[in-house]
Amino acid sequence: MTDQNTGTRPARAATITWDGGLRFTAEMRGHSVPTDQPVHAGGADSAIMPLELLAASLGTCVALYAHQFCAARQIPVDGLGVEVSHETAKAPKRIGRFDVVVRLPDGFPDEYRAAAERAVRACPVHNTLSHPPEINIDVQAPAVASAV
């Protein structure tokens, strides 16, 4: 259901739990995504880092849109792939740039190349990163028990 005033959908919640060390698991809609930090950062390197999830999210969304573009035109998807690399920036620490390479499927018709580029740029993750959302953070502490 979409809010008639803002055009947005109701919020979806991800629940994050601590798994020990620097490991956390995000759960949403019954699915789990673990994260960790590399050994040099104090973790066990058992999963990708939270910041790397952004690159993975961007890449899989672009790949989905490329796949849908091909499927709508009955273009075989053998060889379709996406690679996302990123550079970090400081002050504040963040990803400063993503480089996305879309490998079109074998035999992809050249006349569709520009349309395919428009299609993959329409992916919601690309749009979210290009037009950053408002982020509200509410830090809550447990209630302190009073002495009786």
Side-chain angles (χ1 to χ4, degrees):
M1 178 186 288
T2 301
D3 182 305
Q4 298 297 334
N5 297 322
T6 65
T8 61
R9 292 184 182 173
R12 298 177 187 172
T15 302
I16 315 306
T17 55
W18 177 61
D19 297 330
L22 298 179
R23 294 181 311 274
F24 294 86
T25 296
E27 294 192 18
M28 184 174 231
R29 295 187 312 102
H31 303 284
S32 298
V33 178
T35 65
D36 196 359
Q37 293 294 309
V39 172
H40 74 270
D45 201 20
S46 65
I48 66 174
M49 297 185 305
L51 196 57
E52 293 168 330
L53 285 173
L54 284 172
S57 183
L58 176 60
T60 55
C61 190
V62 165
L64 171 64
Y65 272 58
H67 183 277
Q68 289 176 324
F69 180 89
C70 292
R73 289 156 186 80
Q74 298 179 342
I75 299 169
V77 294
D78 295 336
L80 173 66
V82 175
E83 181 177 315
V84 181
S85 57
H86 66 273
E87 289 183 6
T88 56
K90 295 180 180 177
K93 187 175 182 179
R94 67 197 184 285
I95 292 176
R97 185 177 94 200
F98 287 106
D99 292 311
V100 181
V101 176
V102 178
R103 290 184 312 279
L104 295 171
D106 300 334
F108 187 87
D110 197 48
E111 64 266 20
Y112 287 129
R113 188 176 304 247
E117 184 173 340
R118 285 190 304 274
V120 298
R121 287 180 182 273
C123 102
V125 176
H126 175 269
N127 288 335
T128 299
L129 293 171
S130 297
H131 307 281
E134 178 180 328
I135 300 173
N136 300 307
I137 297 178
D138 179 13
V139 177
Q140 300 178 352
V144 177
S146 58
V148 177

